[in-house]
Amino acid sequence: GAVVSQHPSRVICKSGTSVKIECRSLDFQATTMFWYRQFPKQSLMLMATSNEGSKATYEQGVEKDKFLINHASLTLSTLTVTSAHPEDSSFYICSARGGEGGRTSTDTQYFGPGTRLTVL
Amino acid sequence: GNSVTQMEGPVTLSEEAFLTINCTYTATGYPSLFWYVQYPGEGLQLLLKATKADDKGSNKGFEATYRKETTSFHLEKGSVQVSDSAVYFCALRSAGKSTFGDGTTLTVKP
């Protein structure tokens, strides 16, 4: 099946630093990628949707200047948490969806394993 | 807007017990419905899906039927195993956006 990887799986950083999380679709072209945030024992909160080559669409309440998303290619999207603070500590999950005519269903999202961010 | 309501957890069962996790939804149009499973420390994995009314999704002994008349997509398994312990999320997809339920934690004891 379709595989999505995330790197790093865990990161601990100091307050005020920036952290970049990579999301890759390993065996299919992801025309759309989604970034979610998950708090302990809660559901996924969609942060933004990105399409390759265009600017990300952020959900209401998500600071686009703080959470920078780049979808530079059909297999890579990055989320950069700028000037991280302890309240940004969370589990960040990316998800990818293939385009029409590809080997994956356009109806299905494939999720990465998540990145645990801890800001001290 | 769209919404998904799941049975509240946690759910604790003995091995080989029957499992039902209820899920109902509200959506405009004709959404696709999904069940995802999340093991500790991992991301979500697609468990099964159904794309139209009366479709039955099945995988690894789990089943769910898309019931348009009751707007439900309940997850069932006839005999659970300890390895099924995880958090289960019901979700719908409509107009390119996914909406997730709050998740139901299942613990299966030997």
Side-chain angles (χ1 to χ4, degrees):
Chain A
V3 177
V4 175
S5 70
Q6 274 184 248
H7 178 78
S9 58
R10 291 178 178 272
V11 57
I12 300 172
C13 68
K14 292 183 179 179
S15 187
T17 61
S18 294
V19 175
K20 180 184 283 189
I21 303 170
E22 291 187 349
C23 176
R24 293 181 185 273
S25 58
L26 297 185
D27 53 356
F28 68 102
Q29 293 185 328
T31 54
T32 306
M33 285 187 171
F34 307 87
W35 286 96
Y36 294 87
R37 186 172 175 176
Q38 186 181 29
F39 293 98
K41 298 185 178 180
Q42 292 189 26
S43 189
L44 281 70
M45 182 193 80
L46 180 64
M47 299 174 65
T49 303
S50 73
N51 292 295
E52 185 264 340
S54 61
K55 289 185 178 180
T57 302
Y58 290 81
E59 294 299 302
Q60 193 172 9
V62 178
E63 299 175 61
K64 61 180 181 180
D65 293 331
K66 180 168 185 61
F67 298 99
L68 301 178
I69 291 172
N70 184 286
H71 192 164
S73 77
L74 285 171
T75 58
L76 174 64
S77 175
T78 60
L79 167 67
T80 301
V81 183
T82 62
S83 187
H85 290 284
E87 58 265 30
D88 298 325
S89 299
S90 192
F91 195 52
Y92 292 88
I93 301 174
C94 77
S95 174
R97 183 163 57 101
E100 293 287 346
R103 60 179 289 275
T104 56
S105 167
T106 58
D107 203 30
T108 301
Q109 288 180 232
Y110 301 91
F111 287 83
T115 296
R116 172 75 60 194
L117 170 63
T118 303
V119 184
L120 303 176
Chain B
N2 298 336
S3 67
V4 176
T5 303
Q6 277 183 245
M7 182 171 85
E8 283 191 30
V11 174
T12 303
L13 296 174
S14 297
E15 208 165 19
E16 299 184 3
F18 184 86
L19 168 71
T20 300
I21 301 178
N22 289 339
C23 171
T24 57
Y25 66 91
T26 303
T28 54
Y30 302 95
S32 295
L33 302 176
F34 304 83
W35 276 100
Y36 290 92
V37 58
Q38 184 180 32
Y39 297 102
E42 299 182 13
L44 274 68
Q45 300 175 28
L46 177 65
L47 181 59
L48 53 85
K49 70 175 183 179
T51 58
K52 60 183 188 298
D54 299 326
D55 268 3
K56 178 187 282 188
S58 61
N59 185 28
K60 299 181 182 179
F62 291 90
E63 292 184 341
T65 302
Y66 190 145
R67 301 285 188 200
K68 191 171 185 298
E69 63 276 14
T70 53
T71 61
S72 65
F73 193 53
H74 304 323
L75 181 68
E76 297 183 336
K77 186 173 185 180
S79 176
V80 293
Q81 305 300 314
V82 172
S83 57
D84 293 326
S85 298
V87 182
Y88 292 82
F89 291 91
C90 184
L92 69 84
R93 182 164 188 80
S94 178
K97 265 196 175 180
S98 291
T99 303
F100 292 83
D102 288 341
T104 301
T105 300
L106 170 67
T107 302
V108 180
K109 296 187 173 180

